[in-house]
Amino acid sequence: MMQHCVRLLITVRILATALVAPRRHARQPTRRRANDEQSLDVDLGNLRLHVYGGRFGAQWDVKFKREAARRVADDALTVKDSPGKGRGVFAAQGIAEGTFLGSYDGEVLDGAQFARRYGDRDVPEYVVRIDGDAYIDGKVAAQGDAYTPALFNDGGARSNVVRYCATRRPPRVDFFAGRDIRPGEELLFDYGSQYWAGRESDIDAALDAQIFDPEEIESFREDPENFKAVYAASVVALGVVIG
């Protein structure tokens, strides 16, 4: 216990030092293709850290992990009409809390590919945003007859499904039953307020805002030197904690 506490204190000190590092010249970060990298993804309790390509991300309440979860039975889910929502996914039998429901199916796009495909013409309904350089487009999967997480409808506060970014590179988003689900219930997850706001105005806001995006931190966006400092510190800190 004492050893773990010492490691955490060292980690906090390293990260704090990096965060207050003085700024230097400002320039835009290098853009990278989503398929050209592999992230280091580490779980520390319910905290999941992602370190990749000069970036880092974090999720703070990861309750379920695919490797340890029960997988949903092949005949446990069915696709049918959902009143007022088009098609949806329904439980054909009871599904226990924490059951792994699958990963988001789709084509991985980098920022340039996403811009060419969608531009500012419309808001893509089936795109999950990992960050500005990685998107998963589930439109083709959602048009098929088979079950896919791309068919989950929005449930807001009534959601019974949760999702987590499992790896940043290659991009993978996993879905789990957030509670026990009764037979006949529709499976729903919270799209978030940014999704619906984006359908009226900003296309960027319509994409996934629930997964931490380092580009949303102003000091990182404006000054890559801050970004580099925290990235280096994160690698060292992870080594301290898990070493």
Side-chain angles (χ1 to χ4, degrees), residues 15-206:
L15 292 175
T17 301
L19 285 170
V20 300
R23 292 189 176 189
R24 301 180 184 176
H25 60 284
R27 57 183 176 80
Q28 291 298 315
T30 301
R31 311 294 280 180
R32 293 178 170 84
R33 293 178 59 86
N35 293 321
D36 291 344
E37 305 172 75
Q38 185 165 354
S39 56
L40 172 64
D41 309 280
V42 177
D43 290 329
L44 302 171
N46 288 349
L47 170 64
R48 177 169 293 164
L49 299 177
H50 310 272
V51 182
Y52 64 108
R55 301 182 179 192
F56 83 100
Q59 296 169 88
W60 306 102
D61 191 22
V62 179
K63 297 179 180 178
F64 311 116
K65 302 173 179 62
R66 184 173 73 169
E67 294 75 14
R70 174 190 305 175
R71 294 177 180 267
V72 69
D74 292 339
D75 57 352
L77 300 173
T78 183
V79 176
K80 60 183 181 179
D81 289 339
S82 176
K85 298 180 180 180
R87 292 192 302 162
V89 180
F90 293 79
Q93 57 186 252
I95 300 173
E97 178 182 1
T99 298
F100 174 61
L101 303 173
S103 301
Y104 200 81
D105 298 315
E107 180 184 1
V108 176
L109 305 175
D110 61 27
Q113 291 169 327
F114 173 82
R116 286 196 299 270
R117 178 170 296 182
Y118 292 106
D120 57 0
R121 295 188 304 275
D122 58 7
V123 176
E125 294 185 61
Y126 301 106
V127 173
V128 169
R129 182 181 194 268
I130 305 300
D131 55 45
D133 290 331
Y135 305 80
I136 306 176
D137 189 347
K139 183 177 181 179
V140 173
Q143 291 174 339
D145 296 327
Y147 157 69
T148 172
L151 290 173
F152 289 146
N153 285 314
D154 177 43
R158 299 184 298 109
S159 297
N160 51 21
V161 172
V162 294
R163 62 176 175 176
Y164 308 112
C165 182
T167 61
R168 290 294 187 109
R169 298 294 189 274
R172 195 186 91 214
V173 178
D174 291 342
F175 291 78
F176 301 86
R179 60 168 173 78
D180 291 341
I181 300 174
R182 299 184 303 274
E185 272 195 90
E186 182 174 6
L187 277 70
L188 306 167
F189 79 92
D190 186 3
Y191 286 14
S193 60
Q194 291 292 328
Y195 176 84
W196 298 110
R199 297 193 68 78
E200 300 175 357
S201 54
D202 181 11
I203 189 172
D204 227 15

